[in-house]
Amino acid sequence: MAKRKRLGDLLVSSELITEEQLQTTLKEKNNNQKLGDALLQRGYITEQQLIEVLEFQLGIPHVSLYRYPIDTSLLTLVSKEIAKRNVLIPIKKEENKLFIAMSDPLDFYSIDDLRLSTGFQIEPVIATKDDILRAINKYYELEDDIDNLFSYDAPEEVREEQVTEADSPVIKLVNQVIQNAVQQRASDIHIDPEDTKVSIRYRVDGRLKTERVLPKHMQSMLTARIKIMANMDITEQRVPQDGRIKTTIEFHPIDLRVSTLPTVFGEKIVLRILDLGSTLNDVNKLGFHSVNLERFRTLIEQPSGMVLITGPTGSGKSSTLYAALNKLNSEEVNIITIEDPVEYQLAGINQIQVNANIGLTFAKGLRSILRQDPNIIMVGEIRDKETAEVAVRASLTGHLVFSTLHTNDALGTITRLIDMGVEPFLVASSLSGVVSQRLVRKVCRDCAEEMEPTKREEEIFASRGMKVEIVTRGKGCGTCNMTGYRGRIAVHELVVLTNEMKRVVMNREPFSKLREIAIKNKTIFLIDDGLLKVKQGLTTTEEILRVATME
């Protein structure tokens, strides 16, 4: 046990974590969970930092497998199952020594097993878990399936049994595509049919990149397999379809939302990955600025009124909504949501799925909800005048209503509701606040470097009345695939409607008046919140300017 305790002390002495963080982690973690993993899970340290400390503590060298020339002839010595289960991969051999990259070099059982099964003396080196899993996927998969696939002649007419046999190459391919996406922390998988090929792209941290290109004759099999998994009609190829797939990857439940769209070259399929394990359900962890967090808390703890969250598709609106509902969720209140589709299932909350085929629309469902004696209602999205009016009326009759809307900024939401045909006096009396949010990429913590801001950056900060001494940028490493960014963080703009603003809306005064009042109330606009996050070294100015405009 002494050895484990020292890891924590080492991390504290090298000032990577504080004593207090160490103690709370030790208190909260499961008994069988390693301290290192528990600290990683809470985001106190990065894997790279953990490895460097372990390297120092155990005297075992660490490698980055990103561009490492792995000797593929050694892969026959260690089966893929063992490599995956114990997170290790053989990388080179010298005389009778076999070098194995491991995420846990203290796993003596695995080392012994390998020594017995290969007959070599085992030399462990440390690498990050992501790195090893990426390498296993890359090298082991290349060996087995791809050759079969490319030589595999897919029939013109796909019959169902061909894509449901357990050992069919198509099934392996689809599972592998999903698995790789989950490992790279992608949010969507795009399968794009083209004239002569089919390309598969992953959206990682908001950016699409091509993962692999398949021959055109694989297209019909691939499409059929995914449609069968999602319970869609494989004979219908002319209309868009929706479905969902529940699956388990590496003992981790994953939910996939599938949508198909007929294009000129066949059906384009997009799979949205909902990782049920990693949902952020804590309001404090959403990245709100302290002023905004206080205002947001006050907003959601009101007994009635309407709170809207706005932003483009994929800007994390649902996560913010779910975090708010999670905070309010107790046995004293009745919370009902109506969504299309229900993304995450929350315990203790009644969730309704919109179904247009049988006439259950947002507006109709919302009317029924009002007869169910709710305290808090969440409407997945306000898409039309009818839904907007029912939501507004619900908030006026003593309910707290949450919803989302697609607009550019928080103040634009007010005009958007009026454009939809809701009377200004209804908007003024029902709306209590609007949050507008966007996601920007976070600077990778492993290769972040501090540098002086450019002249243009200084001008941008000065135009918002701020000074900046140091900015942080990632120079690119194996952890972040040479992008310099890893993970995403939200930037927010939160407008609380004051009586003064409500008067402006009721009297239909010009929009610029609202803006003046918002500035007077010290509202932190998107661009300001973003630039404050640049100052904290969390993201870069380029990322902020990608999502927010300079007024």
Side-chain angles (χ1 to χ4, degrees), residues 489-508:
I489 187 172
V491 289
H492 303 91
E493 166 174 314
L494 198 159
V495 173
V496 179
L497 265 82
T498 57
N499 291 336
E500 202 179 345
M501 282 184 175
K502 291 184 173 182
R503 239 190 328 274
V504 168
V505 176
M506 274 189 194
N507 300 338
R508 300 182 180 234

Side-chain angles (χ1 to χ4, degrees), residues 286-318:
L286 291 173
F288 273 111
H289 183 273
S290 51
V291 178
N292 280 346
L293 181 60
E294 203 42 55
R295 289 179 177 178
F296 185 63
R297 278 228 185 96
T298 322
L299 269 185
I300 65 175
E301 282 163 5
Q302 289 176 352
S304 66
M306 185 155 79
V307 179
L308 292 178
I309 299 186
T310 73
T313 323
S315 57
K317 299 189 293 287
S318 320

Side-chain angles (χ1 to χ4, degrees), residues 52-71:
E52 282 160 13
V53 170
L54 279 174
E55 176 181 37
F56 174 71
Q57 181 193 14
L58 306 170
I60 297 177
H62 90 264
V63 290
S64 163
L65 301 178
Y66 184 68
R67 292 233 168 87
Y68 196 89
I70 288 181
D71 180 353

Side-chain angles (χ1 to χ4, degrees), residues 333-339 346-352 369 372 378:
V333 290
N334 177 16
I335 303 181
I336 306 183
T337 76
I338 177 158
E339 306 167 61
L346 296 175
I349 290 180
N350 313 292
Q351 294 170 290
I352 304 172
I369 289 178
Q372 288 273 327
M378 173 183 126

Side-chain angles (χ1 to χ4, degrees), residues 46 57 77 91 98 112-113 124 128-129 220 225-226 253 269 289 300 319 340 375 383 407 428-429 475 491 509 523 536:
T46 71
Q57 181 193 14
L77 294 173
I91 51 175
L98 181 63
D112 273 354
D113 286 350
T128 63
K129 204 167 175 175
S220 52
R225 172 62 189 154
I226 291 174
I269 302 180
H289 183 273
I300 65 175
S319 302
D340 178 21
N375 301 88
R383 294 183 189 163
T407 56
S429 44
K475 63 171 188 289
V491 289
E509 290 178 40
T523 301
Q536 291 169 354

Side-chain angles (χ1 to χ4, degrees), residues 229-469:
M229 289 171 77
N231 288 329
M232 295 176 178
D233 178 357
I234 67 167
T235 55
E236 179 56 83
Q237 296 169 0
R238 296 158 308 174
V239 293
Q241 296 186 54
D242 286 306
R244 52 190 322 167
I245 301 174
K246 269 195 158 63
T247 174
T248 308
I249 302 267
E250 307 278 309
F251 318 109
H252 208 60
I254 299 283
D255 231 2
L256 297 158
R257 283 215 326 250
V258 188
S259 139
T260 69
L261 189 72
T263 68
V264 186
F265 298 122
E267 286 176 286
K268 173 178 163 75
I269 302 180
V270 176
L271 299 100
R272 158 68 58 91
I273 301 172
L274 302 168
D275 184 344
L276 303 177
S278 71
T279 56
L280 270 179
N281 280 336
D282 185 354
V283 176
N284 303 325
K285 290 190 181 146
L286 291 173
F288 273 111
H289 183 273
S290 51
V291 178
N292 280 346
L293 181 60
E294 203 42 55
R295 289 179 177 178
F296 185 63
R297 278 228 185 96
T298 322
L299 269 185
I300 65 175
E301 282 163 5
Q302 289 176 352
S304 66
M306 185 155 79
V307 179
L308 292 178
I309 299 186
T310 73
T313 323
S315 57
K317 299 189 293 287
S318 320
S319 302
T320 307
L321 273 179
Y322 281 121
L325 289 179
N326 212 35
K327 176 149 177 52
L328 300 170
N329 188 7
S330 70
E331 63 174 70
E332 287 103 56
V333 290
N334 177 16
I335 303 181
I336 306 183
T337 76
I338 177 158
E339 306 167 61
D340 178 21
V342 172
E343 289 193 22
Y344 300 110
Q345 280 126 15
L346 296 175
I349 290 180
N350 313 292
Q351 294 170 290
I352 304 172
Q353 167 92 37
V354 170
N355 187 343
N357 301 338
I358 55 168
L360 176 56
T361 58
F362 274 124
K364 205 164 176 187
L366 193 47
R367 287 202 178 90
S368 317
I369 289 178
L370 290 174
R371 295 195 278 276
Q372 288 273 327
D373 175 35
N375 301 88
I376 298 168
I377 303 170
M378 173 183 126
V379 185
E381 192 182 334
I382 292 182
R383 294 183 189 163
D384 49 39
K385 179 182 175 182
E386 198 185 357
T387 315
E389 284 189 335
V390 185
V392 164
R393 298 237 155 81
S395 70
L396 289 175
T397 50
H399 301 97
L400 181 58
V401 179
F402 290 110
S403 188
T404 68
L405 201 66
H406 291 274
T407 56
N408 283 337
D409 57 1
L411 290 171
T413 310
I414 301 171
T415 41
R416 174 99 174 84
L417 281 172
I418 296 172
D419 284 347
M420 273 180 152
V422 183
E423 286 295 332
F425 69 89
L426 284 177
V427 174
S429 44
S430 65
L431 196 60
S432 13
V434 184
V435 180
S436 174
Q437 79 172 47
R438 300 285 186 282
L439 289 177
V440 291
R441 294 185 295 168
K442 264 174 21 183
V443 173
C444 168
R445 279 165 63 175
D446 291 334
C447 58
E449 291 184 319
E450 295 191 336
M451 48 182 72
E452 287 195 357
T454 60
K455 201 150 183 55
R456 176 76 187 117
E457 280 181 301
E458 284 175 354
E459 286 167 13
I460 291 169
F461 273 87
S463 72
R464 305 298 301 172
M466 293 188 225
K467 261 201 167 66
V468 61
E469 260 91 64

